[in-house]
Amino acid sequence: MAKKNAKNKITKPIEETLWESANKLRGAVEPSEYKHVVLSLIFLKYANDKFEARRIELIEDGKEAFVDQVVFYTARNVFYIPESARWAKLMTEAKQADLALHIDAALAALEQENESLRGALPSNYYASLALDRTKLATLLDRINEIDMLSAADGDLMGRVYEYFLSKFAIAEGKGKGEFYTPKTIVQLMTELIEPYSGKIYDPCCGSGGMFVQSLKFIEAHQGNRRAVSVYGQEYTNTTYKLAKMNLAIRGIACNLGEQAADTFFRDQHPDLKADFILANPPFNQKAWRGANELTEDPRWRGFPTPPTSNANYGWILNILSKLSHSGTAAFLLANGALSGDGVEQEIRKELVERGVVEAIILLPRNMFYSTDISVTLWILARNRSARSVEQNGQMIHYRERKEETLFIDLRQEGEPFEKKYVQFNPEQIARIAQTYHSWQREGYEKNYSNVPEYCYSATRAELAAKDYSLVPSKYIAFANRDEAMDFASEMQSIQQELQTLLVEEARNAEQLRSLFDELGFSLNISADV
């Protein structure tokens, strides 16, 4: 019986086991720092495993004379590892007091030898953290136990890296963790806009998750990953490095600019016109520009200048300006952007009147590690006219949609995970994508219908009648939830009733005063309303 139990024992995935080991060794280092410590070492081990596998292959093919020729590695998308950066050498130095210096030197040598890694790896990082040498050596031992090339799908390293990014985002928690967008949200975004070919752009790319999932979408649908090119930008230097490592692991060529930089003040892709944009900008970013800064920026030409108090509409117009003549964008914003007044309302009206607002999709709460609020997925499209487009060898026929906007409410969707978070499962993602694509395409009358508490296709006239509000509950019919009530109208009605009661009270008080005056008594009652 014991043997049977041992045989049937479920082993944990490698990424989970490694996480448990690494997390125990964290000590006093904050998660925001520790993720760079762990992920850089994992990357170094992965690069070494790939290098050693290619080196053995060359020797077995009788090309031992070329084992130190860089071109024989880069031609196979393998990083060349100089002798000073090799994992075996690092393991021999693990017991030395200056281990941190050796790790820094190895990463510097690896970056120097490989052009695509320039700016991707930490510089003089480990020594600066004053890490406990014993714990660091133990971490090396744990990572050393894993053959990064052993997985049947060939993506063990990618899985480990993605798993660690998500766990670190959860560990950093509310108000932090912005470097990572939950995977199932990005999977939904790619299934909706279908980035099969062309230029893909993310103006605030974080750790590069949008790009990773775009390439996974292409592979899952038997597309050609060589048909896309990747452009991005990231403000935070350490996150910029995470993105470059994350993409390098998967062999994704990318242009993230020369260095980390502010997208608004140092746009590193000023002339880019992208076919697809996926983004998760910082929510409700305050004081993003001064009163007199960027007021004449070409990115909002034809629109009012976005307000200084909140960057939401700065991000919207930056994204719109980067779209090609037939480009599509999917991006996330806090729900407040759906109904702001003043300049935001003017911009929203212009977006609607230009016919670029394709869909507004309300997500469930607790999907993000950095906030528990409900968030909106916006889809903007430049070309919403009737047309036929070849996608991955198949002709897709789109109908005219310039006068309509699709609203979807997903707040009742999702399933729990990690106790306090929500994620989409594959069936839910497929159903949501089917709703959207059925609405987009020819024959939609047979395949799409408005569903109470789920979706509604609103005309431009309906949006205008609601002062260009994009709040889904103003359009989707709700029979059993509070959204069945129009809170704005109800509040106005209550205010009017209260005003009527106050006026009536004042009138009664005045009549009562007059009566007492007639009787020769004084009555001190205020008649103010």
Side-chain angles (χ1 to χ4, degrees), residues 287-420:
W288 63 284
R289 67 176 185 84
N292 299 314
E293 296 175 307
L294 300 176
T295 55
E296 301 298 326
D297 195 281
R299 285 172 286 187
W300 22 94
R301 186 174 295 136
F303 291 87
T305 301
T308 60
S309 59
N310 193 311
N312 287 340
Y313 277 77
W315 286 112
I316 292 173
L317 295 185
N318 176 79
I319 288 168
L320 183 64
S321 73
K322 298 294 186 183
L323 282 179
S324 68
H325 70 281
S326 60
T328 303
F331 56 92
L332 302 162
L333 289 176
N335 291 349
L338 298 171
S339 59
D341 56 12
V343 174
E344 292 188 349
Q345 184 185 37
E346 293 177 35
I347 296 174
R348 203 164 52 249
K349 175 183 177 180
E350 185 64 25
L351 292 170
V352 170
E353 292 297 330
R354 291 190 186 194
V356 298
V357 184
E358 172 91 336
I360 298 293
I361 302 172
L362 206 54
L363 301 181
R365 294 185 61 173
N366 297 314
M367 292 201 81
F368 288 82
Y369 310 137
S370 56
T371 179
D372 61 357
I373 64 172
S374 174
V375 170
T376 308
L377 168 55
W378 293 54
I379 299 181
L380 302 184
R382 283 282 194 188
N383 187 357
R384 302 176 68 217
S385 59
R387 69 194 194 280
S388 296
V389 178
E390 184 178 346
Q391 291 184 351
N392 202 29
Q394 181 182 3
M395 291 303 297
I396 305 296
H397 305 287
Y398 292 90
R399 67 183 183 87
E400 177 79 37
R401 311 178 309 285
K402 288 187 287 188
E403 294 291 328
E404 298 173 67
T405 295
L406 178 64
F407 291 90
I408 302 178
D409 189 325
L410 301 180
R411 286 176 295 171
Q412 302 303 304
E413 302 286 340
E415 60 183 20
F417 84 107
E418 294 280 352
K419 296 182 180 179
K420 61 179 180 178

Side-chain angles (χ1 to χ4, degrees), residues 216-284:
K216 285 189 175 183
F217 167 84
I218 293 170
E219 291 168 349
H221 293 272
Q222 291 76 52
N224 179 9
R225 59 183 285 160
R226 293 179 180 274
V228 299
S229 51
V230 169
Y231 298 82
Q233 186 157 341
E234 170 54 36
Y235 175 70
T236 306
N237 187 52
T238 52
T239 308
Y240 171 85
K241 292 176 182 292
L242 283 180
K244 295 203 76 171
M245 278 193 288
N246 196 13
L247 299 175
I249 284 165
R250 295 170 168 85
I252 300 174
C254 60
N255 180 347
L256 302 186
E258 296 179 357
Q259 59 188 333
D262 187 307
T263 299
F264 292 121
F265 286 92
R266 192 180 174 192
D267 183 4
Q268 300 202 53
H269 307 289
D271 302 317
L272 177 67
K273 293 298 179 184
D275 301 289
F276 300 98
I277 297 177
L278 297 110
N280 177 21
F283 298 153
N284 299 320

